[in-house]
Amino acid sequence: MNVSQLFGLTAAALVGLGVYGLIVNPQPLRKVLAFNLTGNGVFLACAVIAHRGAGAGMSGDPVPQALLITAIVVSFAASALAVGLMLRRFAETGTNSLAAADDAAPGEARTNAEAR
Amino acid sequence: MTTLALTGQSTPGGLLLALAVLLPFAGMLAGLAPGGRHAQRVAWATIVLGIGIVLEIAARLLVSGDALRYALGGWAPPLGVVLRADGLSVCMMLVVAVVVGAVAIYANGDFGTPPGTREARAPLAFWLLLLAVWGALNLVFVSGDIFTLYVALELLTFAGVPLVSLDGRAETLQAALRYLLYALIGSMLYLLGVFLLYGAYGTLDIALLAGRIGPGPLAWTAVALMTAGMLAKTALFPLHLWLPPAHAGAPAAASALLSALVVKGSWFVVVRLWVDVFGGMVGGSVAQLLAGLGAMAILFGNVVALRQVRLKLLIAYSTVAQIGYLFLLFPLAAQHESTRAVTGGLLQAISHASAKAAMFLAAGLIYSTLGHDRLADLRGAARALPMTLTAFALAGATLIGLPPSGGFLAKWLLMSAALATGQWWWALVMLLGGLLTSVYVFMVVVRAMEPAAPGWSPKKQVPRYQQFAVLGLATCSFLLGLAVLLPVDVAQIGRTVIPQAGMP
Amino acid sequence: MISAISVGIGILLLALALWTVVVRDTFAAVAGFIPYGLLLTLAWLVLRAVDVALTEAAIGAGLTGALLIRAASRLHPTETAAQAETPGLATRVAAGVAATAVAVVIALCLLRLPDPAPTLAPEVARHIQATGVGNPITAVLLSFRAIDTLLEAIVLLFGVVGVWSLAPDRCWGGRPGLAQAVGPNDILVYLARVLPPIGVVIGIYIFWVGADHPGGKFQGATVIAAMWLLVMMSGLRDAPPVSRRWLRAVLILGPAVFIALGLLGAVMAGAFLAYPDGWAKLWIIIIEAALLPSLAVTLVLLLIGPPQRPEVSP
């Protein structure tokens, strides 16, 4: 087995672990963690592809590596937005759960919230 | 037989494609820096210019009869990124521009900065996010590279999620968080598909991939991953759970953008991939599965809509149902009837976009006038807002599929494609969906037309221009059926012949 | 033949990932995430992707880790409620099945990648002269696929707008984050006085050298952002109110210069984001120099969140 295959398997396992964490953990922050794990698995797969593309004097195919840098940065921004939503919701309600108890029953009037 | 647009040259006027994408973003920059009231004015200027650019692109497309193409940086694929606009892209760009314009007119009333404050949070955020959604969608429609498409999808998500939680209430924050999680998983699955395709075929360019791709485990996994990711973002049954609270909870103008436009972005990616990249490679059974989910969405969405107590939730569940129609085109396009199916699907997307935007805006006006949107107590709304209720009825007619609306023409094309390919069961589903939709549309209109309780007066006088905007949008969707009179099948411009690869 | 280090990294990665998913306490999970990120950096190095390793260490492990720690500590009061919510056995089994299926499919795909691997490295090598930079990744990011970098800067801006939109109405225009109360003799204050000048120089060096060697503006911007965060965390300087003109101007500077030079390229070199012959390196440096402060500010703003203290107007 060479390095590419080893990390390819690791990447697949990471994606699987991330998917498991996403489904099983009901709490948003843990889901964001699991999403990051899945993302890292995907990125590791891309790095494997880049490593296999070494040639022409370069140690790896530069195009997937450039894509990875973009993807890592975008993923951080996504985590930041998710954390912002969670913290704001916590500040408003004191909870951080996606449980259906928070969904207002359709008939309940939104008292003084003005729908724009 | 490949079209000229695949030979790697930029077509004249291709710069317009880059401008169509960058103008809204530049508008965002120009609006963010000075802030305050300037953001709205900059948004207005951007919309006017942007509509001009889209019209020019459409004119060039019709004149040349071929797709527009632009190699960014002067680099040709596989090294560089290409923007490509065919008939499908241009039709979507046109409807997006029209809906954005109408929503902007409407939002003048709801999201104007209050006098006396230099800058307020919700108006500034709304105008910036409006431009953000527009730019992101234009990029989705013209991107010719699957990784740039990923960035476009992320842009769309980042623009759409804050629109849901714009008013800051706890339920909308939860809805926005759920939407964000679904959308991020979708993007991650799509990205994995992108990497697998690059690892297998060495290019990210759509046109080159279409030539190099062939049946095999890597390609099939990529199809599955990318489609599944997009299904999560488009809220196709059974991944629709995030949509109703998100779209119903957002302010009316934001709901219009989300339901009408944002979900079309991820749907368009599926169409682009299946029609242009995966072509004849995808087996018929997978397409049947996709349409099966669409059928379940139509039935489930309409039935649940009937049981709703609030107007905005009813409209949101109606979106869940109408999204199902969009996926019926796939088994019909997999065979030689593809022109009718794709044109039908495109027309369905366009009519739904304009009709649903009109519906949500109308619901916003009704809420402002009545002070609530409970379906049981809509009486008096028609008397107070005659234009708005007419708009709602017209939009509903499009969703039901009554002639001469765009919805009618779309369903006609899809049904005839279904019958021609011997898949009559989809036609049955469409008829059933139309029937169910008509029930709740009539219910809303009839209830609103009941005379008001004596002594009742509107909570707020909504300005006429808002009602005009809503009526204009609904009339557009209602008259879209007249597109059958167009001399040329716009959706087919720039389409390449799908290679009839043998199914594995 | 793989070295023991690679196997070790792989095993540790999976172990830490499993820990992060399975452990009950949220803070413990986040605490496991940071060494996981650093191990991932080592994995990138083993796979010889040095620029990616730098980015992962800076943004993937560093900033994301800081972000999640901040979230976990602020959300600590919800911990008991969170631990009370446990999924049923049916969910766990279904999730396990789904996860295993996905992992197996992906593993099979990655093992069946074609040999010889299709690669764009020769294409890049053929055209890299025209870009004027020596680092092939910088060439891809800022010349061949410059649009992706431009869009990425805009995505970050979208993130800032989105995060800012989450402010309470009454706090709009105010300062992000909570006020820091740190004693004057705290070690943090000492570090905040000593480190930033060094850090800024290092950040600029990483950005500058990225043209020909591993490095670049993202990594450099993260170091500069970290310095500013240090200054804010120690209380030496407060976060600026979001209504400040200069803050907004710096935010838009990078993308604005990028778009402007792109349009200039359309006029002078025939295509949007094309560079005129011989001027490529200069233009790339101008774009990166404009992006560096924008990125640093953007990363800081994403981390510290929306305005939470109303600005007391003078």
Side-chain angles (χ1 to χ4, degrees), chain B residues 13-283:
Chain B
L15 179 61
L16 287 170
L17 298 180
L19 287 179
V21 171
L22 288 164
L23 185 68
F25 296 152
M28 259 193 84
L29 297 177
L32 176 61
R37 232 164 245 113
H38 299 289
Q40 187 171 350
R41 295 192 196 125
V42 168
W44 269 109
T46 313
I47 289 175
V48 169
L49 278 174
I51 291 182
I53 291 182
V54 172
L55 286 173
E56 176 65 27
I57 293 177
R60 281 182 189 256
L61 185 89
L62 287 172
V63 161
S64 74
D66 196 9
L68 297 176
R69 191 177 153 90
Y70 194 66
L72 288 166
W75 299 105
L79 201 55
V81 174
V82 147
L83 298 177
R84 188 169 173 274
D86 59 5
L88 284 172
S89 318
V90 170
C91 289
M92 293 302 297
M93 282 168 67
L94 277 170
V95 76
V96 166
V98 167
V99 171
V100 163
V103 169
I105 296 178
Y106 176 94
N108 229 2
D110 282 359
F111 285 106
T113 311
T117 49
R118 201 181 77 78
E119 186 180 74
R121 175 195 65 95
L124 178 69
F126 177 80
W127 292 107
L128 293 179
L129 292 171
L130 176 77
L131 293 176
V133 165
W134 192 15
L137 280 170
N138 277 349
L139 183 62
V140 169
F141 299 143
V142 303
S143 171
D145 178 285
I146 49 178
F147 184 77
T148 310
L149 215 43
Y150 161 75
V151 185
L153 288 169
E154 292 292 294
L155 283 167
L156 199 53
T157 303
F158 282 28
V161 165
L163 277 173
V164 172
S165 60
L166 202 52
D167 59 2
R169 287 177 301 127
E171 309 94 66
T172 58
L173 288 167
Q174 181 183 24
L177 190 53
R178 205 177 259 137
Y179 174 23
L180 181 61
L181 288 172
Y182 270 87
L184 290 178
I185 302 309
S187 309
M188 213 34 87
L189 293 174
Y190 175 83
L191 189 61
L192 184 55
V194 168
F195 290 151
L196 287 177
L197 285 177
Y198 182 82
Y201 302 111
T203 178
L204 296 162
D205 182 67
I206 288 181
L208 285 177
L209 264 179
R212 295 185 193 183
I213 205 167
L218 277 162
W220 290 327
T221 313
V223 176
L225 286 170
M226 291 160 107
T227 310
M230 292 304 99
L231 292 188
K233 293 172 85 87
T234 317
L236 183 67
F237 184 92
L239 298 171
H240 64 283
L241 292 170
W242 61 265
L243 191 143
H247 287 199
S255 303
L257 286 176
L258 289 166
S259 238
L261 302 181
V262 174
V263 295
K264 303 295 183 308
S266 32
W267 166 78
F268 187 84
V269 173
V270 184
V271 173
R272 178 64 83 207
L273 291 174
W274 278 54
V275 161
D276 278 347
V277 176
F278 299 121
M281 200 198 77
V282 187

Side-chain angles (χ1 to χ4, degrees), chain C residues 107-139:
Chain C
L108 283 175
C109 284
L110 289 176
L111 290 176
R112 302 259 227 116
L113 285 171
D115 228 338
T119 173
L120 283 173
E123 280 287 318
V124 173
R126 201 171 311 147
H127 295 284
I128 195 171
Q129 292 289 61
T131 65
V133 295
N135 183 353
I137 298 184
T138 308

Side-chain angles (χ1 to χ4, degrees), chain A residues 53-110:
Chain A
M58 302 175 208
S59 62
D61 190 346
V63 172
Q65 295 183 37
L67 303 183
L68 268 185
I69 294 181
T70 307
I72 291 177
V73 174
V74 169
S75 164
F76 165 70
S79 302
L81 188 57
V83 163
L85 280 168
M86 276 188 263
L87 289 178
R88 177 85 172 99
R89 179 143 173 271
F90 174 68
E92 283 284 301
T93 64
T95 67
N96 182 34
S97 155
L98 287 176
D102 275 77
D103 287 343
E108 254 145 48
R110 294 169 290 175

Side-chain angles (χ1 to χ4, degrees), chain C residues 270-286:
Chain C
F272 184 76
L273 287 177
Y275 305 126
D277 282 329
W279 291 87
K281 178 144 191 197
L282 176 64
W283 281 38
I284 289 180
I285 294 202
I286 296 178

Side-chain angles (χ1 to χ4, degrees), chain C residues 104-179:
Chain C
V104 165
V105 167
I106 296 176
L108 283 175
C109 284
L110 289 176
L111 290 176
R112 302 259 227 116
L113 285 171
D115 228 338
T119 173
L120 283 173
E123 280 287 318
V124 173
R126 201 171 311 147
H127 295 284
I128 195 171
Q129 292 289 61
T131 65
V133 295
N135 183 353
I137 298 184
T138 308
V140 172
L141 276 179
L142 281 162
S143 184
F144 306 134
R145 300 187 63 104
I147 185 73
D148 283 341
T149 311
L150 170 58
L151 292 171
E152 178 184 4
I154 294 187
V155 163
L156 288 175
L157 199 60
F158 278 25
V160 172
V161 171
V163 165
W164 277 5
S165 79
L166 295 171
D169 273 321
R170 66 180 193 286
C171 297
W172 180 252
R175 297 172 188 271
L178 302 172

